[in-house]
PDB file of all heavy atoms in Angstrom:
ATOM      1  N   ASN A  15       0.853  -1.175  -0.004  1.00  0.00           N
ATOM      2  CA  ASN A  15       0.001   0.005   0.003  1.00  0.00           C
ATOM      3  C   ASN A  15       0.886   1.240   0.005  1.00  0.00           C
ATOM      4  O   ASN A  15       2.109   1.129  -0.028  1.00  0.00           O
ATOM      5  CB  ASN A  15      -0.930  -0.006   1.218  1.00  0.00           C
ATOM      6  CG  ASN A  15      -0.161  -0.123   2.533  1.00  0.00           C
ATOM      7  OD1 ASN A  15       0.769   0.628   2.790  1.00  0.00           O
ATOM      8  ND2 ASN A  15      -0.532  -1.122   3.345  1.00  0.00           N
ATOM      9  N   TRP A  16       0.252   2.416   0.060  1.00  0.00           N
ATOM     10  CA  TRP A  16       0.989   3.667   0.007  1.00  0.00           C
ATOM     11  C   TRP A  16       1.092   4.356   1.370  1.00  0.00           C
ATOM     12  O   TRP A  16       1.313   5.555   1.462  1.00  0.00           O
ATOM     13  CB  TRP A  16       0.354   4.628  -0.998  1.00  0.00           C
ATOM     14  CG  TRP A  16       0.610   4.166  -2.403  1.00  0.00           C
ATOM     15  CD1 TRP A  16      -0.277   3.561  -3.245  1.00  0.00           C
ATOM     16  CD2 TRP A  16       1.860   4.254  -3.110  1.00  0.00           C
ATOM     17  NE1 TRP A  16       0.353   3.267  -4.452  1.00  0.00           N
ATOM     18  CE2 TRP A  16       1.660   3.673  -4.387  1.00  0.00           C
ATOM     19  CE3 TRP A  16       3.126   4.744  -2.789  1.00  0.00           C
ATOM     20  CZ2 TRP A  16       2.653   3.611  -5.345  1.00  0.00           C
ATOM     21  CZ3 TRP A  16       4.139   4.650  -3.732  1.00  0.00           C
ATOM     22  CH2 TRP A  16       3.901   4.102  -4.972  1.00  0.00           C
ATOM     23  N   ASP A  17       0.975   3.562   2.428  1.00  0.00           N
ATOM     24  CA  ASP A  17       1.261   4.109   3.753  1.00  0.00           C
ATOM     25  C   ASP A  17       2.707   4.583   3.801  1.00  0.00           C
ATOM     26  O   ASP A  17       3.565   4.068   3.086  1.00  0.00           O
ATOM     27  CB  ASP A  17       1.074   3.034   4.859  1.00  0.00           C
ATOM     28  CG  ASP A  17      -0.397   2.636   4.994  1.00  0.00           C
ATOM     29  OD1 ASP A  17      -1.244   3.381   4.434  1.00  0.00           O
ATOM     30  OD2 ASP A  17      -0.667   1.606   5.643  1.00  0.00           O
ATOM     31  N   MET A  18       2.973   5.556   4.654  1.00  0.00           N
ATOM     32  CA  MET A  18       4.331   6.104   4.709  1.00  0.00           C
ATOM     33  C   MET A  18       5.338   5.092   5.252  1.00  0.00           C
ATOM     34  O   MET A  18       6.496   5.125   4.910  1.00  0.00           O
ATOM     35  CB  MET A  18       4.338   7.377   5.542  1.00  0.00           C
ATOM     36  CG  MET A  18       3.767   8.585   4.822  1.00  0.00           C
ATOM     37  SD  MET A  18       3.838  10.091   5.800  1.00  0.00           S
ATOM     38  CE  MET A  18       2.417   9.861   6.853  1.00  0.00           C
ATOM     39  N   LYS A  19       4.875   4.190   6.075  1.00  0.00           N
ATOM     40  CA  LYS A  19       5.768   3.194   6.675  1.00  0.00           C
ATOM     41  C   LYS A  19       6.131   2.126   5.668  1.00  0.00           C
ATOM     42  O   LYS A  19       5.300   1.630   4.931  1.00  0.00           O
ATOM     43  CB  LYS A  19       5.102   2.557   7.895  1.00  0.00           C
ATOM     44  CG  LYS A  19       5.929   1.479   8.584  1.00  0.00           C
ATOM     45  CD  LYS A  19       5.160   0.836   9.712  1.00  0.00           C
ATOM     46  CE  LYS A  19       5.939  -0.300  10.337  1.00  0.00           C
ATOM     47  NZ  LYS A  19       5.172  -0.981  11.392  1.00  0.00           N
ATOM     48  N   ILE A  20       7.406   1.727   5.686  1.00  0.00           N
ATOM     49  CA  ILE A  20       7.839   0.585   4.877  1.00  0.00           C
ATOM     50  C   ILE A  20       8.021  -0.605   5.828  1.00  0.00           C
ATOM     51  O   ILE A  20       8.833  -0.559   6.742  1.00  0.00           O
ATOM     52  CB  ILE A  20       9.169   0.872   4.160  1.00  0.00           C
ATOM     53  CG1 ILE A  20       8.947   1.983   3.152  1.00  0.00           C
ATOM     54  CG2 ILE A  20       9.720  -0.371   3.538  1.00  0.00           C
ATOM     55  CD1 ILE A  20       9.851   1.992   1.986  1.00  0.00           C
ATOM     56  N   ASP A  21       7.204  -1.626   5.607  1.00  0.00           N
ATOM     57  CA  ASP A  21       7.288  -2.809   6.471  1.00  0.00           C
ATOM     58  C   ASP A  21       8.649  -3.465   6.329  1.00  0.00           C
ATOM     59  O   ASP A  21       9.312  -3.365   5.299  1.00  0.00           O
ATOM     60  CB  ASP A  21       6.199  -3.822   6.129  1.00  0.00           C
ATOM     61  CG  ASP A  21       4.806  -3.291   6.463  1.00  0.00           C
ATOM     62  OD1 ASP A  21       4.741  -2.305   7.214  1.00  0.00           O
ATOM     63  OD2 ASP A  21       3.827  -3.867   5.959  1.00  0.00           O
ATOM     64  N   LEU A  22       9.055  -4.179   7.364  1.00  0.00           N
ATOM     65  CA  LEU A  22      10.311  -4.873   7.308  1.00  0.00           C
ATOM     66  C   LEU A  22      10.311  -5.934   6.235  1.00  0.00           C
ATOM     67  O   LEU A  22      11.334  -6.292   5.684  1.00  0.00           O
ATOM     68  CB  LEU A  22      10.627  -5.509   8.676  1.00  0.00           C
ATOM     69  CG  LEU A  22      10.933  -4.507   9.798  1.00  0.00           C
ATOM     70  CD1 LEU A  22      11.141  -5.258  11.108  1.00  0.00           C
ATOM     71  CD2 LEU A  22      12.147  -3.682   9.450  1.00  0.00           C
ATOM     72  N   CYS A  23       9.125  -6.463   5.928  1.00  0.00           N
ATOM     73  CA  CYS A  23       9.059  -7.550   4.965  1.00  0.00           C
ATOM     74  C   CYS A  23       7.740  -7.468   4.232  1.00  0.00           C
ATOM     75  O   CYS A  23       6.801  -8.198   4.512  1.00  0.00           O
ATOM     76  CB  CYS A  23       9.204  -8.897   5.672  1.00  0.00           C
ATOM     77  SG  CYS A  23       9.578 -10.271   4.574  1.00  0.00           S
ATOM     78  N   GLU A  24       7.636  -6.559   3.259  1.00  0.00           N
ATOM     79  CA  GLU A  24       6.387  -6.393   2.542  1.00  0.00           C
ATOM     80  C   GLU A  24       6.207  -7.501   1.524  1.00  0.00           C
ATOM     81  O   GLU A  24       7.140  -7.910   0.846  1.00  0.00           O
ATOM     82  CB  GLU A  24       6.388  -5.032   1.814  1.00  0.00           C
ATOM     83  CG  GLU A  24       6.207  -3.855   2.726  1.00  0.00           C
ATOM     84  CD  GLU A  24       5.369  -2.777   2.072  1.00  0.00           C
ATOM     85  OE1 GLU A  24       4.607  -3.093   1.163  1.00  0.00           O
ATOM     86  OE2 GLU A  24       5.471  -1.609   2.497  1.00  0.00           O
ATOM     87  N   GLU A  25       4.998  -7.998   1.415  1.00  0.00           N
ATOM     88  CA  GLU A  25       4.666  -8.966   0.392  1.00  0.00           C
ATOM     89  C   GLU A  25       4.218  -8.231  -0.862  1.00  0.00           C
ATOM     90  O   GLU A  25       3.761  -7.087  -0.798  1.00  0.00           O
ATOM     91  CB  GLU A  25       3.558  -9.889   0.886  1.00  0.00           C
ATOM     92  CG  GLU A  25       3.988 -10.735   2.081  1.00  0.00           C
ATOM     93  CD  GLU A  25       2.854 -11.616   2.588  1.00  0.00           C
ATOM     94  OE1 GLU A  25       1.755 -11.518   2.016  1.00  0.00           O
ATOM     95  OE2 GLU A  25       3.063 -12.398   3.521  1.00  0.00           O
ATOM     96  N   PRO A  26       4.299  -8.840  -2.039  1.00  0.00           N
ATOM     97  CA  PRO A  26       3.855  -8.190  -3.258  1.00  0.00           C
ATOM     98  C   PRO A  26       2.393  -7.794  -3.155  1.00  0.00           C
ATOM     99  O   PRO A  26       1.588  -8.453  -2.524  1.00  0.00           O
ATOM    100  CB  PRO A  26       4.060  -9.275  -4.316  1.00  0.00           C
ATOM    101  CG  PRO A  26       5.115 -10.168  -3.754  1.00  0.00           C
ATOM    102  CD  PRO A  26       4.887 -10.159  -2.272  1.00  0.00           C
ATOM    103  N   ALA A  27       2.071  -6.684  -3.844  1.00  0.00           N
ATOM    104  CA  ALA A  27       0.696  -6.188  -3.790  1.00  0.00           C
ATOM    105  C   ALA A  27      -0.246  -7.054  -4.584  1.00  0.00           C
ATOM    106  O   ALA A  27      -1.453  -7.052  -4.365  1.00  0.00           O
ATOM    107  CB  ALA A  27       0.647  -4.743  -4.306  1.00  0.00           C
ATOM    108  N   VAL A  28       0.256  -7.795  -5.577  1.00  0.00           N
ATOM    109  CA  VAL A  28      -0.593  -8.591  -6.440  1.00  0.00           C
ATOM    110  C   VAL A  28      -0.578 -10.051  -5.988  1.00  0.00           C
ATOM    111  O   VAL A  28       0.466 -10.681  -5.960  1.00  0.00           O
ATOM    112  CB  VAL A  28      -0.118  -8.516  -7.920  1.00  0.00           C
ATOM    113  CG1 VAL A  28      -1.043  -9.300  -8.820  1.00  0.00           C
ATOM    114  CG2 VAL A  28      -0.050  -7.047  -8.352  1.00  0.00           C
ATOM    115  N   PRO A  29      -1.702 -10.615  -5.577  1.00  0.00           N
ATOM    116  CA  PRO A  29      -1.716 -12.018  -5.143  1.00  0.00           C
ATOM    117  C   PRO A  29      -1.289 -12.956  -6.261  1.00  0.00           C
ATOM    118  O   PRO A  29      -1.374 -12.612  -7.435  1.00  0.00           O
ATOM    119  CB  PRO A  29      -3.182 -12.233  -4.760  1.00  0.00           C
ATOM    120  CG  PRO A  29      -3.738 -10.863  -4.524  1.00  0.00           C
ATOM    121  CD  PRO A  29      -3.006  -9.960  -5.463  1.00  0.00           C
ATOM    122  N   THR A  30      -0.892 -14.159  -5.871  1.00  0.00           N
ATOM    123  CA  THR A  30      -0.404 -15.130  -6.841  1.00  0.00           C
ATOM    124  C   THR A  30      -1.420 -15.417  -7.934  1.00  0.00           C
ATOM    125  O   THR A  30      -1.108 -15.430  -9.116  1.00  0.00           O
ATOM    126  CB  THR A  30      -0.032 -16.451  -6.131  1.00  0.00           C
ATOM    127  OG1 THR A  30       0.923 -16.170  -5.109  1.00  0.00           O
ATOM    128  CG2 THR A  30       0.518 -17.461  -7.110  1.00  0.00           C
ATOM    129  N   LEU A  31      -2.679 -15.639  -7.558  1.00  0.00           N
ATOM    130  CA  LEU A  31      -3.707 -15.962  -8.547  1.00  0.00           C
ATOM    131  C   LEU A  31      -3.898 -14.832  -9.531  1.00  0.00           C
ATOM    132  O   LEU A  31      -3.942 -15.033 -10.743  1.00  0.00           O
ATOM    133  CB  LEU A  31      -5.036 -16.283  -7.830  1.00  0.00           C
ATOM    134  CG  LEU A  31      -6.215 -16.640  -8.777  1.00  0.00           C
ATOM    135  CD1 LEU A  31      -5.875 -17.846  -9.629  1.00  0.00           C
ATOM    136  CD2 LEU A  31      -7.468 -16.899  -7.958  1.00  0.00           C
ATOM    137  N   GLN A  32      -3.995 -13.611  -9.008  1.00  0.00           N
ATOM    138  CA  GLN A  32      -4.194 -12.450  -9.905  1.00  0.00           C
ATOM    139  C   GLN A  32      -2.992 -12.303 -10.813  1.00  0.00           C
ATOM    140  O   GLN A  32      -3.141 -12.008 -12.010  1.00  0.00           O
ATOM    141  CB  GLN A  32      -4.395 -11.192  -9.070  1.00  0.00           C
ATOM    142  CG  GLN A  32      -4.680  -9.953  -9.957  1.00  0.00           C
ATOM    143  CD  GLN A  32      -4.847  -8.703  -9.127  1.00  0.00           C
ATOM    144  OE1 GLN A  32      -4.904  -8.758  -7.910  1.00  0.00           O
ATOM    145  NE2 GLN A  32      -4.916  -7.571  -9.805  1.00  0.00           N
ATOM    146  N   ALA A  33      -1.789 -12.484 -10.286  1.00  0.00           N
ATOM    147  CA  ALA A  33      -0.606 -12.360 -11.116  1.00  0.00           C
ATOM    148  C   ALA A  33      -0.634 -13.359 -12.251  1.00  0.00           C
ATOM    149  O   ALA A  33      -0.283 -13.043 -13.388  1.00  0.00           O
ATOM    150  CB  ALA A  33       0.648 -12.556 -10.261  1.00  0.00           C
ATOM    151  N   ALA A  34      -1.059 -14.579 -11.942  1.00  0.00           N
ATOM    152  CA  ALA A  34      -1.141 -15.590 -12.981  1.00  0.00           C
ATOM    153  C   ALA A  34      -2.147 -15.214 -14.057  1.00  0.00           C
ATOM    154  O   ALA A  34      -1.960 -15.438 -15.250  1.00  0.00           O
ATOM    155  CB  ALA A  34      -1.518 -16.928 -12.362  1.00  0.00           C
ATOM    156  N   GLN A  35      -3.228 -14.567 -13.633  1.00  0.00           N
ATOM    157  CA  GLN A  35      -4.283 -14.175 -14.584  1.00  0.00           C
ATOM    158  C   GLN A  35      -3.808 -13.107 -15.530  1.00  0.00           C
ATOM    159  O   GLN A  35      -4.298 -13.025 -16.657  1.00  0.00           O
ATOM    160  CB  GLN A  35      -5.514 -13.709 -13.821  1.00  0.00           C
ATOM    161  CG  GLN A  35      -6.261 -14.837 -13.100  1.00  0.00           C
ATOM    162  CD  GLN A  35      -7.353 -14.316 -12.200  1.00  0.00           C
ATOM    163  OE1 GLN A  35      -7.361 -13.147 -11.827  1.00  0.00           O
ATOM    164  NE2 GLN A  35      -8.279 -15.205 -11.831  1.00  0.00           N
ATOM    165  N   VAL A  36      -2.857 -12.276 -15.111  1.00  0.00           N
ATOM    166  CA  VAL A  36      -2.388 -11.220 -16.027  1.00  0.00           C
ATOM    167  C   VAL A  36      -1.081 -11.657 -16.700  1.00  0.00           C
ATOM    168  O   VAL A  36      -0.358 -10.837 -17.261  1.00  0.00           O
ATOM    169  CB  VAL A  36      -2.174  -9.897 -15.258  1.00  0.00           C
ATOM    170  CG1 VAL A  36      -3.469  -9.395 -14.716  1.00  0.00           C
ATOM    171  CG2 VAL A  36      -1.126 -10.044 -14.155  1.00  0.00           C
ATOM    172  N   GLY A  37      -0.750 -12.922 -16.629  1.00  0.00           N
ATOM    173  CA  GLY A  37       0.417 -13.417 -17.326  1.00  0.00           C
ATOM    174  C   GLY A  37       1.703 -13.115 -16.623  1.00  0.00           C
ATOM    175  O   GLY A  37       2.760 -13.042 -17.224  1.00  0.00           O
ATOM    176  N   ALA A  38       1.643 -12.868 -15.314  1.00  0.00           N
ATOM    177  CA  ALA A  38       2.831 -12.551 -14.549  1.00  0.00           C
ATOM    178  C   ALA A  38       3.194 -13.717 -13.646  1.00  0.00           C
ATOM    179  O   ALA A  38       2.423 -14.652 -13.459  1.00  0.00           O
ATOM    180  CB  ALA A  38       2.584 -11.294 -13.695  1.00  0.00           C
TER     181      ALA A  38
END
């Protein structure tokens, strides 16, 4: 997300299923 804080371990914003659907 666009919160000002950067998490120590951010996960990708696009879930695995959605990424697969867009050819990623």
Side-chain angles (χ1 to χ4, degrees):
N15 55 52
W16 288 105
D17 292 347
M18 284 182 280
K19 179 184 176 183
I20 295 208
D21 292 345
L22 292 177
C23 196
E24 286 216 23
E25 296 178 358
V28 182
T30 304
L31 179 59
Q32 183 182 351
Q35 289 171 342
V36 297

